[in-house]
C-alpha cells in the first residue's frame, strides 16, 4: 500500500557499487524509475584505484559494455602495461591469457577454432580500475535519469504484496521492487531472510603496499612456498595468502603483523619499514539460497561471495545485472511472459555455483601441502597443452557460458556472435537500445511479419553479414543471449515460440 506524499519508485537499488549502477542503467534504458541508495558518503577509496583496484574483465562483461555503448569510455581508463600491479604479469614475452591459482595460460596456445560460434570481438580481454568502472557507470546511470543518493544505506525493509518500504537515514522511501546490490555482507539479503550457505575460509589473503628495508631479497612474481603463496611487484606491492583459517580477516592490520606474515609466507627475513595500505580477504565461498524473496531480489556480491583469486566476482555480478534488468523492467511494464522473472534465478544461480566451485578448486591447489604441490604439477602440465590452455581460457574468460534454454540450435542460450553486417555495423551496436533483436540475413517477409507482431519489444534488422556462421536469422534477447537461431528457410513456428517465451504476448494488431 502506498504511503501518501511519498514517491513510489519502480525499483529501489541498495548499493552504488558496479553491479547496482549497471542495473540502474539497464532499468532506466527500459524506462523504469530508479532510486539508488548508497551507504557510503563518497565513491572514492584507495582500494578502488591502482594497484589494488585493478579488475580483470571477462568476455561477457566486455560484450555487455560494448552492447550498451560503454566500452570506449571504459577503455579510456583501462590498465596499461606500465601499472605496478600489472608489471610482473604483463611484461612477459608470451602474452598471458589468465591463470588458474596463479598458473598462467598463454594466448599462443589457445585454439579458438574450438569455439565455432564465436566471432572475434573488438578486444579479447582487458583490465580496468574499479574507480573508473564505477565512474563510467554512475555518469551513465545519472545521464539516463537514475537518482543516486549517497550516505543513505538501506536500514530496514518491509514488504507487502505490491511493494517494499525502506528506511534510510530517517527517511521512508517506497519501491515496487527492491534489489540488494549491497555487497557480501548485504543488509537486504539478511532483512529479506534469504539464506547464505557455503564453505568456511581456509586462509586470510592480504593485499598490501609496504616499504621494505631490503626489497632486493624478495623475488618479483608469484611464488608458492611451503607455508602459503605470495606475489611481489617491486618496489612494495604484495599479495599473499596465509592458511590461518581466515583468522586475521577484518582485524586492524599493524606493520609488525604484516611483517611477520610476510616472513612466514615468503620464508625470507624481511623488514617492513612502513605499511602504506593494507586490506584482507578470504576464500569463504557462499551463495544465496535464492536470488528472490517476494519483491526483493539480489545481485552481485550480495548473492555470492568467493575468493578474489580467480578474478571473477565483478564479472559474475555484472552478468547478474545484465540478466535481471530487462526481465524486471518487463515485469513492471506488465508485458512479461509467465515465469520471466523467475528465470533470473534459474539461469544465474547455477552460473554462480560454478564460479564458487572454480574458486574452491584453486584453493585446493594452493594449500601448502605435498598433495597440493603434486596437483599443481599436474595442472601445470595440462595448462601447457593446446587443449588445456583452451579449456582454462574458456572457463576464465566466460566463453563457455550457456544457459539451458532448450532449442534445437547449439547457439541458443549462448552469447550472440558479434556479426558484422554489410555496412560494417556490428551486432553489439544493434543492442544499444536494450531491446530484443531479430537479425535477418535475408529480408524474409515472414520474419518481417513476425517482428511486427512484437514491435516495440523486438527491433528488426535485415542485412547480409560478412560471416553468418551458416545461419539465416537469429533472435537475440536484450541481454545478448540467443533465443532462437535458424539455419534453413525460416521455421517461423520455432521463432514465434521463442519470441512469445521471452517477449510475451504479441501485439493486438
Ligand atoms: C582484492 C580483490 C580483487 C578482485 N579482483 C577482481 C577481478 O579481477 N575481477 C572480478 O571480476 N572481480 C574481482 N574482485 C571482486 C569484485 O571486486 C566484487 O565481486 C565486486 O566489487 C562486487 O560488486 P558489487 O557491486 O556486487 O558489490 P560492491 O562492490 O561491494 O558494492 C556494494 C555497495 O553497496 C554499498 N552498501 C553496503 N551496504 C549497504 C546498504 N545497507 N545500503 C546501501 N548501500 C550499501 C557499499 O558501500 C558498496 O558501495 C576482487 C575483489 C577483491 C577484494
Amino acid at each position: 500500500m502506498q504511503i501518501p506524499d511519498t514517491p513510489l519508485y519502480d525499483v529501489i537499488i541498495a548499493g552504488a557499487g558496479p553491479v547496482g549502477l549497471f542495473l540502474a542503467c539497464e532499468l532506466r534504458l527500459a524506462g523504469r524509475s530508479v532510486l539508488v541508495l548508497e551507504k557510503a558518503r563518497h565513491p572514492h577509496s584507495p582500494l578502488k584505484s591502482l594497484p589494488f583496484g585493478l579488475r580483470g574483465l571477462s568476455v561477457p562483461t566486455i560484450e555487455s559494455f560494448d552492447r550498451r555503448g560503454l566500452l570506449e569510455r571504459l577503455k579510456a581508463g583501462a590498465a596499461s602495461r606500465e601499472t605496478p600491479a600489472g608489471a610482473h604479469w604483463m611484461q612477459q614475452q608470451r602474452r598471458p591469457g589468465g591463470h588458474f591459482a596463479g598458473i598462467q595460460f598463454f594466448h599462443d596456445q589457445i585454439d579458438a577454432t574450438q569455439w565455432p560460434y564465436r566471432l572475434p570481438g573488438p578486444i579479447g580481454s582487458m583490465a580496468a580500475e574499479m574507480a573508473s568502472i564505477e565512474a563510467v557507470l554512475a555518469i551513465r546511470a545519472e545521464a539516463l535519469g537514475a537518482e543516486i543518493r549517497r550516505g543513505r544505506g538501506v536500514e530496514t525493509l518491509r514488504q507487502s504484496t505490491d511493494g517494499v518500504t525502506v528506511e534510510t537515514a530517517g527517511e521512508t522511501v517506497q519501491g515496487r521492487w527492491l534489489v540488494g546490490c549491497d555487497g557480501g555482507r548485504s543488509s537486504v539479503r539478511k532483512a529479506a531472510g534469504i539464506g547464505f550457505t557455503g564453505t568456511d575460509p581456509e586462509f586470510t589473503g592480504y593485499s598490501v603496499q609496504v616499504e621494505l628495508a631490503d626489497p632486493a631479497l624478495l623475488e618479483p612474481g608469484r611464488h608458492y612456498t611451503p607455508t602459503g603463496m605470495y606475489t611481489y611487484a617491486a618496489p612494495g606491492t604484495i599479495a599473499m595468502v596465509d592458511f590461518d583459517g581466515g583468522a586475521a580477516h577484518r582485524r586492524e592490520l599493524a606493520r609488525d603483523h604484516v611483517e611477520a606474515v610476510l616472513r612466514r609466507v615468503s620464508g625470507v627475513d624481511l623488514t617492513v619499514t612502513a605499511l602504506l595500505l593494507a586490506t584482507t580477504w578470504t576464500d569463504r565461498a557462499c551463495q544465496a539460497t535464492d536470488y528472490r524473496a517476494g519483491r526483493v531480489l539480489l545481485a552481485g556480491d550480495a548473492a555470492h561471495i568467493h575468493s578474489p583469486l580467480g578474478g571473477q566476482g565483478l564479472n559474475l555480478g555484472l552478468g547478474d545485472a545484465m540478466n535481471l534488468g530487462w526481465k524486471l523492467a518487463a515485469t513492471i511494464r506488465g508485458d512479461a511472459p509467465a515465469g520471466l522473472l523467475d528465470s533470473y534465478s534459474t539461469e544465474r544461480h547455477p552460473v554462480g555455483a560454478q564460479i564458487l566451485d572454480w574458486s574452491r578448486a584453486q584453493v585446493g591447489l594452493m594449500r601448502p601441502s605435498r598433495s597440493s604441490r603434486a596437483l599443481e604439477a599436474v595442472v601445470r602440465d595440462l595448462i601447457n597443452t593446446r587443449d588445456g590452455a583452451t579449456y582454462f581460457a574458456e572457463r576464465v574468460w566466460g566463453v563457455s557460458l550457456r544457459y539451458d534454454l532448450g532449442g534445437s540450435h547449439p547457439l541458443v542460450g549462448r552469447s550472440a556472435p558479434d556479426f558484422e553486417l554489410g555496412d560494417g555495423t556490428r551486432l553489439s551496436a544493434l543492442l544499444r537500445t536494450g531491446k530484443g533483436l531479430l537479425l535477418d540475413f535475408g529480408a524474409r517477409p515472414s520474419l518481417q511479419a513476425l517482428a511486427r507482431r512484437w514491435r516495440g519489444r523486438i527491433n528488426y534488422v535485415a542485412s547480409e553479414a560478412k560471416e553468418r556462421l551458416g545461419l539465416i536469422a537469429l533472435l537475440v534477447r536484450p541481454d545478448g543471449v540467443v533465443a532462437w537461431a535458424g539455419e534453413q528457410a525460416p521455421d517461423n513456428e520455432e521463432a514465434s515460440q521463442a519470441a512469445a517465451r521471452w517477449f510475451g504476448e504479441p501485439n493486438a494488431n
Side-chain angles (χ1 to χ4, degrees):
M1 198 183 65
Q2 194 183 347
I3 303 169
D5 302 325
T6 307
L8 175 67
Y9 293 89
D10 284 333
V11 184
I12 298 172
I13 296 173
V19 175
L21 291 170
F22 195 91
L23 182 64
C25 294
E26 287 299 286
L27 290 163
R28 283 303 303 143
L29 194 59
R32 300 300 100 206
S33 60
V34 178
L35 171 66
V36 183
L37 295 173
E38 164 57 49
K39 189 158 124 185
R41 269 182 201 290
H42 306 288
H44 316 293
S45 153
L47 296 174
K48 293 181 185 174
S49 301
L50 293 174
F52 301 139
L54 191 68
R55 298 288 182 270
L57 304 183
S58 68
V59 170
T61 297
I62 295 167
E63 285 176 342
S64 296
F65 276 96
D66 199 19
R67 288 167 179 170
R68 296 300 185 250
L70 293 167
L71 191 57
E72 291 310 313
R73 275 174 250 179
L74 198 67
K75 274 204 246 173
S80 79
R81 281 172 172 266
E82 281 70 46
T83 62
H88 79 277
W89 171 262
M90 294 167 113
Q91 286 170 359
Q92 305 183 62
Q93 284 196 327
R94 294 173 76 193
R95 190 173 160 220
H99 72 92
F100 181 80
I103 306 170
Q104 290 180 314
F105 55 87
F106 293 90
H107 276 266
D108 57 17
Q109 278 190 314
I110 296 163
D111 178 12
T113 61
Q114 293 186 28
W115 308 326
Y117 293 107
R118 287 208 69 83
L119 293 168
I123 43 173
S125 61
M126 65 182 277
E129 232 181 333
M130 186 72 148
S132 64
I133 299 171
E134 285 192 357
V136 165
L137 291 173
I139 290 168
R140 163 84 164 168
E142 290 191 315
L144 287 169
E147 200 180 323
I148 304 173
R149 292 195 209 158
R150 298 189 186 270
R152 304 265 176 151
V154 168
E155 289 155 10
T156 62
L157 65 93
R158 211 170 52 250
Q159 282 205 59
S160 67
T161 48
D162 53 5
V164 185
T165 306
V166 163
E167 298 298 328
T168 171
E171 197 191 341
T172 303
V173 290
Q174 298 181 96
R176 293 181 208 280
W177 294 83
L178 170 68
V179 187
C181 302
D182 51 342
R185 286 185 282 172
S186 171
S187 313
V188 170
R189 184 186 66 231
K190 290 171 195 157
I194 299 175
F196 202 50
T197 57
T199 45
D200 290 331
E202 295 187 40
F203 64 68
T204 301
Y206 296 77
S207 295
V208 295
Q209 255 191 321
V210 293
E211 282 174 9
L212 295 170
D214 30 25
L217 294 180
L218 207 55
E219 199 187 326
R222 193 183 297 250
H223 309 275
Y224 286 104
T225 69
T227 45
M229 194 270 291
Y230 73 92
T231 306
Y232 174 51
T237 303
I238 299 168
M240 53 187 177
V241 158
D242 186 24
F243 277 78
D244 64 348
H249 185 47
R250 295 199 201 291
R251 294 232 185 109
E252 189 76 15
L253 286 183
R255 186 206 56 80
D256 55 344
H257 173 82
V258 170
E259 182 182 85
V261 176
L262 181 56
R263 286 179 177 192
R264 184 165 63 245
V265 169
S266 68
V268 181
D269 205 14
L270 292 149
T271 302
V272 174
T273 50
L275 180 61
L276 308 175
L277 192 60
T279 185
T280 60
W281 30 275
T282 75
D283 58 321
R284 186 169 175 241
C286 289
Q287 190 174 21
T289 46
D290 204 332
Y291 286 8
R292 177 182 172 190
R295 287 182 166 261
V296 177
L297 293 137
L298 300 176
D301 278 15
H304 37 68
I305 54 160
H306 58 84
S307 115
L309 282 158
Q312 307 258 17
L314 169 67
N315 294 304
L316 186 58
L318 292 173
D320 293 345
M322 190 72 169
N323 189 288
L324 174 61
W326 66 280
K327 293 176 179 176
L328 184 53
T331 304
I332 296 166
R333 252 190 341 253
D335 56 35
L340 184 69
L341 193 56
D342 290 337
S343 74
Y344 165 59
S345 206
T346 318
E347 290 176 11
R348 293 303 298 174
H349 201 278
V351 178
Q354 258 194 3
I355 296 286
L356 261 62
D357 273 347
W358 188 252
S359 77
R360 290 183 184 112
Q362 295 182 75
V363 176
L365 193 142
M366 288 169 53
R367 284 183 198 120
S369 70
R370 254 185 97 170
S371 51
S372 291
R373 296 290 59 75
L375 187 58
E376 181 201 338
V378 173
V379 172
R380 274 190 199 283
D381 280 349
L382 289 176
I383 214 168
N384 206 21
T385 63
R386 203 165 175 76
D387 281 350
T390 307
Y391 170 79
F392 281 95
E394 205 172 284
R395 296 290 302 266
V396 172
W397 292 359
V399 173
S400 57
L401 180 68
R402 185 185 181 201
Y403 301 128
D404 184 10
L405 307 185
S408 58
H409 196 280
L411 247 184
V412 173
R414 289 186 189 277
S415 175
D418 199 23
F419 291 108
E420 185 178 350
L421 306 186
D423 65 358
T425 308
R426 288 187 174 272
L427 175 134
S428 50
L430 302 175
L431 288 171
R432 296 212 170 136
T433 57
K435 297 197 169 161
L437 172 70
L438 181 57
L439 182 55
D440 180 358
F441 298 125
R444 291 172 180 81
S446 58
L447 288 178
Q448 288 166 4
L450 190 153
R452 270 196 300 276
R453 296 170 64 208
W454 278 274
R455 185 187 288 144
R457 284 167 280 169
I458 298 177
N459 291 334
Y460 173 81
V461 175
S463 169
E464 241 320 322
K466 296 212 166 120
E467 164 59 75
R468 54 184 177 84
L469 301 174
L471 301 180
I472 56 141
L474 74 162
L475 178 63
V476 185
R477 304 193 317 193
D479 57 356
V481 170
V482 176
W484 167 80
E487 281 183 331
Q488 294 159 9
D491 176 356
N492 284 345
E493 190 47 39
E494 209 184 316
S496 295
Q497 279 171 8
R501 177 175 177 194
W502 298 111
F503 299 95
E505 291 292 315
N507 300 325
N509 49 42

